[in-house]
Amino acid sequence: MLSRFSLPGLTGKRRFDDLSEKEILALAISSEEEDGRIYAIYAQKLRSEYAASAAIFDGMAQEEDEHRERLIDLYQRRFGNVILPVRREHVSDFYTRKPVWLIENLGLDRMREEAEDMERQARDFYVAAAGRSSDIDTRKLLGELAAAEAKHESKAQDLTATHLGGEARADEDIAAKRQFILTWVQPGLAGLMDGSVSTLAPIFATAFATQSTWTTFLIGLSASVGAGISMGFTEAAHDDGKISGRGAPWKRGLASGMMTMLGGLGHALPYLIPSFWTATAIALIVVFVELWAIVWIQNRFMETPFLRAAFQVVLGGGLVLAAGILIGGA
């Protein structure tokens, strides 16, 4: 938590080891206040879709406020009512919070991961701060807060049991899975299908018309990259996700564009091999793998019956492949 590699005096910041007990208490107060606000922001973001998880973060924010109040009481008894404005960014070797709460579409799992990191960092801070204190009351409080933060994960689990029992947790898991499918899997699958199938005809038509592996590779590369850019922009531009709930446009565009490009490049890259028939044989094997990967994804994530998915994908891909070979060999 506390780095030993900062250079004091160059940044205008204080090292943690140089802080007085007064400054450490002030730092603890501001840290608890910030953590409480972060948990409150998480709760606000989740309230409309994940009410049960929002209640968990509400409870954690309340506990951070209680810690802050205890610290303020101790500070006032020892140092008066004016609290020094010491914050994390004023200490050179102190941990900082990543501003992930500013991300508009921050996922539920990411929030839980960040909360775990926050609890661990706060615990380490209180352990280090308690070791620096010579005042009995201060050392006792900091030790208690270190223990409280160490148990915060258990507290979160208790809150989870209270607010995310049974059907509530199942409903949220289903909603999170649905969001993942809408944002990443569906656009990615559409891109993979487009890249794998639509590029079959131009690549194999070029291959059999020219029997030049380098020319075929260049055609495949240009078709794959062009299709990826087109699909990515189309996916991102046609739906901002606000009404449909399909997630951030850039995420869907990235998934669609990358998978489109990979789908085409899969059977274009073998034509880097100089031998035409060797390259073509490997490309056909890659096409077989690509088509069955599409079938598996449809069956696994989209719950399409396996036989129906296999019939649709293999038949469609086979027809496009045959068309390319026939046109190129004409």
Side-chain angles (χ1 to χ4, degrees):
M1 179 195 73
L2 303 175
S3 171
R4 300 300 177 192
F5 298 101
S6 60
L7 298 176
L10 297 182
T11 63
K13 298 180 179 182
R14 298 280 299 282
R15 285 179 57 86
F16 178 79
D17 286 344
D18 297 331
L19 298 180
S20 65
E21 290 190 28
K22 182 179 182 179
E23 291 167 335
I24 288 176
L25 281 178
L27 177 61
I29 291 170
S30 65
S31 297
E32 290 288 354
E33 181 178 8
E34 182 178 351
D35 287 354
R37 289 179 178 177
I38 293 173
Y39 287 139
I41 291 171
Y42 287 171
Q44 183 181 29
K45 287 179 176 289
L46 294 172
R47 208 174 308 282
S48 60
E49 295 185 48
Y50 305 105
S53 286
I56 292 175
F57 285 111
D58 281 332
M60 295 172 73
Q62 182 179 359
E63 184 167 332
E64 298 300 316
D65 288 340
E66 293 171 357
H67 292 175
R68 181 176 60 88
E69 290 174 2
R70 294 179 65 187
L71 287 164
I72 291 176
D73 289 341
L74 176 62
Y75 187 99
Q76 289 176 330
R77 289 199 304 271
R78 292 194 61 192
F79 305 113
N81 294 328
V82 180
I83 300 175
L84 294 175
V86 182
R87 301 188 180 278
R88 293 187 178 105
E89 59 268 24
H90 301 154
V91 183
S92 61
D93 50 354
F94 198 66
Y95 68 87
T96 57
R97 297 277 185 248
K98 298 178 182 178
V100 294
W101 56 88
L102 296 177
I103 300 175
E104 187 65 28
N105 295 301
L106 187 64
L108 177 58
D109 289 339
R110 180 67 184 279
M111 291 184 191
R112 290 172 177 166
E113 291 174 2
E114 290 295 326
E116 290 179 7
D117 288 341
M118 289 167 65
E119 295 156 12
R120 176 181 51 79
Q121 291 169 344
R123 177 203 63 204
D124 291 346
F125 163 60
Y126 283 124
V127 169
R132 293 277 317 282
S133 177
S134 58
D135 178 74
I136 295 177
D137 290 337
T138 302
R139 191 180 184 92
K140 179 175 181 293
L141 176 58
L142 294 177
E144 290 175 353
L145 293 179
E149 295 294 346
K151 295 178 180 178
H152 212 160
E153 184 173 357
S154 297
K155 174 67 175 176
Q157 292 173 355
D158 292 341
L159 289 169
T160 299
T162 301
H163 298 287
L164 272 183
E167 295 182 1
R169 182 57 181 266
D171 290 343
E172 289 198 359
D173 288 343
I174 291 173
K177 179 182 177 181
R178 178 179 180 275
Q179 190 63 56
F180 172 74
I181 290 174
L182 290 175
T183 303
W184 295 105
V185 177
Q186 191 178 67
L189 177 61
L192 181 61
M193 293 178 67
D194 183 82
S196 298
V197 176
S198 67
T199 57
L200 287 175
I203 289 177
F204 283 95
T206 302
F208 281 87
T210 66
Q211 294 199 1
S212 167
T213 57
W214 180 245
T215 300
T216 303
F217 169 72
L218 291 179
I219 294 296
L221 178 64
S222 61
S224 301
V225 173
I229 294 173
S230 176
M231 283 289 288
F233 274 101
T234 300
E235 178 62 43
H238 89 278
D239 180 11
D240 61 10
K242 293 180 180 178
I243 297 178
S244 66
R246 297 179 63 227
W250 72 266
K251 292 181 180 179
R252 293 184 286 104
L254 180 65
S256 180
M258 291 299 295
M259 294 306 292
T260 300
M261 184 171 63
L262 289 175
L265 286 176
H267 43 269
L269 289 174
Y271 283 98
L272 287 171
I273 300 172
S275 173
F276 171 76
W277 289 110
T278 301
T280 300
I282 295 175
L284 289 172
I285 294 173
V286 172
V287 170
F288 178 83
V289 173
E290 289 173 346
L291 295 180
W292 282 106
I294 293 171
V295 172
W296 182 84
I297 294 172
Q298 282 190 323
N299 177 254
R300 172 67 175 81
F301 293 101
M302 310 305 293
E303 298 183 359
T304 304
F306 183 82
L307 292 178
R308 189 175 78 184
F311 177 77
Q312 293 173 342
V313 173
V314 175
L315 177 62
L319 290 175
V320 175
L321 175 62
I325 294 174
L326 290 174
I327 292 172

